[in-house]
Amino acid sequence: MPPLTIRPYKNILPFLLLVSTVITLALAGCASSPDKKGEAIHVAPVAQMFRPGQEALRRGDYNRAIRQFENLQSEYPYGPYAEQSQLDTAYAYYKSGDAKAAAAAATAFIKAHPANPHVVYAYYLKGLAEYEGIEGPEYTPTPDYEALRTFTYLAKTFPKTPYAVSARLHIAKIIDILGQRNLNICKFYYIRDAYVASANRCSRVITDYQLSPAREEALYYLSKSYAHLNLDQLARTTAIILHANYPQGRFTRKLRSLWENAPKASTRAAG
């Protein structure tokens, strides 16, 4: 199965750069003071280091921007320029394709500056970077859980921000992937006659990933697993739930046919 293609939300990422630009202008205003003729008489050295990084960021020269921002942080580790350069470093890493470094930089900012008014920006970058590591239901789910955790926190903590809308869309996609992954494991156990393990895994799809499309098929295999375990009442109850939620679904039809053709003396599923 090919890796999952990730397409960042175009209406959000320019907003991130806009935030950076606005902060830069505010910082620039603090870095100089006019004399009586309105001319700047002083520019802080930290501002002089900050500007080339911003210019490189706007040009799309992300590697240069990263070098400039990291040099600034090593020379001036505290203050508003250092904080903004940390955010811009995370963004530059993300845009350069280094998702792990982007997530690490965003995490470092969150830990160092939890009360920063733009910390939601860092959470969003962190979630995007973790999302980049998702390859699909056939692969390790670690990136899925990391991105799900970050986006869920963002959506609950900052529900009225533009980032929350995008976070919820990412959450829905991650739930689909995790639901399918657990359904694949359920089927893996089922075809090997490991019906207890199959039932447990399908139950997880149904309870933990209720909005996943995999839920329908999970109910089907859960009912069949129960039938093989001679848990006839549970098998029938699960079949009723499947029918109630997906009355026209193909798995409902398959299960109905299964019960109708089963011997009256036994409700065990065939095959």
Side-chain angles (χ1 to χ4, degrees):
M1 180 174 184
L4 181 69
T5 300
I6 307 298
R7 292 184 174 87
Y9 288 84
K10 294 182 179 179
N11 62 324
I12 292 292
L13 289 180
F15 179 76
L16 304 182
L17 189 54
L18 175 61
V19 169
S20 174
T21 302
V22 170
I23 297 172
T24 301
L25 293 174
L27 292 175
C30 298
S32 63
S33 57
D35 61 10
K36 292 181 180 179
K37 296 181 180 179
E39 296 176 350
I41 59 176
H42 174 68
V43 177
V46 64
Q48 294 176 340
M49 291 188 68
F50 186 74
R51 288 171 182 168
Q54 281 286 298
E55 292 170 0
L57 195 64
R58 281 191 286 270
R59 290 197 309 270
D61 189 352
Y62 301 116
N63 291 330
R64 180 176 176 79
I66 290 166
R67 289 195 301 271
Q68 290 291 141
F69 291 136
E70 290 183 342
N71 288 340
L72 184 151
Q73 292 167 54
S74 64
E75 292 286 335
Y76 302 95
Y78 306 105
Y81 282 100
E83 292 185 24
Q84 183 58 35
S85 67
Q86 288 174 344
L87 282 173
D88 289 341
T89 298
Y91 179 79
Y93 271 126
Y94 177 77
K95 292 294 288 181
S96 70
D98 193 340
K100 289 185 178 180
T107 301
F109 178 87
I110 292 166
K111 290 181 178 179
H113 312 290
N116 186 285
H118 300 288
V119 72
V120 61
Y121 171 18
Y123 275 110
Y124 185 68
L125 279 176
K126 182 175 184 289
L128 284 181
E130 291 165 343
Y131 191 79
E132 288 283 357
I134 299 175
E135 296 181 291
E138 304 297 330
Y139 300 85
T140 175
T142 300
D144 309 56
Y145 292 129
E146 291 174 344
L148 182 62
R149 190 161 46 244
T150 300
F151 282 131
T152 300
Y153 178 84
L154 190 161
K156 289 182 177 179
T157 309
F158 309 97
K160 296 183 179 180
T161 65
Y163 306 102
V165 176
S166 180
R168 285 189 283 269
L169 293 173
H170 282 84
I171 288 168
K173 182 60 179 177
I174 295 167
I175 286 174
D176 288 355
I177 295 169
L178 289 172
Q180 186 61 50
R181 182 179 188 277
N182 281 276
L183 174 62
N184 291 348
I185 296 173
C186 163
K187 294 161 70 174
F188 173 87
Y189 286 130
Y190 182 84
I191 63 176
R192 288 163 176 77
D193 301 331
Y195 301 118
V196 172
S198 174
N200 288 338
R201 190 61 68 157
C202 281
S203 294
R204 185 172 180 180
V205 176
I206 296 160
T207 57
D208 293 354
Y209 309 109
Q210 295 184 25
L211 300 180
S212 169
R215 184 170 180 263
E216 179 183 359
E217 193 172 358
L219 283 165
Y220 170 74
Y221 278 101
L222 180 61
S223 180
K224 294 186 72 177
S225 295
Y226 282 150
H228 279 289
L229 293 168
N230 290 322
L231 299 172
D232 296 339
Q233 187 57 50
L234 285 174
R236 286 178 176 146
T237 300
T238 304
I240 292 170
I241 294 171
L242 176 64
H243 179 267
N245 285 274
Y246 309 96
Q248 303 302 321
R250 68 185 183 96
F251 292 106
T252 297
R253 293 194 298 270
K254 288 177 66 175
L255 200 58
R256 183 186 300 121
S257 174
L258 182 83
W259 291 111
E260 289 175 351
N261 296 329
K264 293 183 178 180
S266 173
T267 56
R268 291 190 63 185

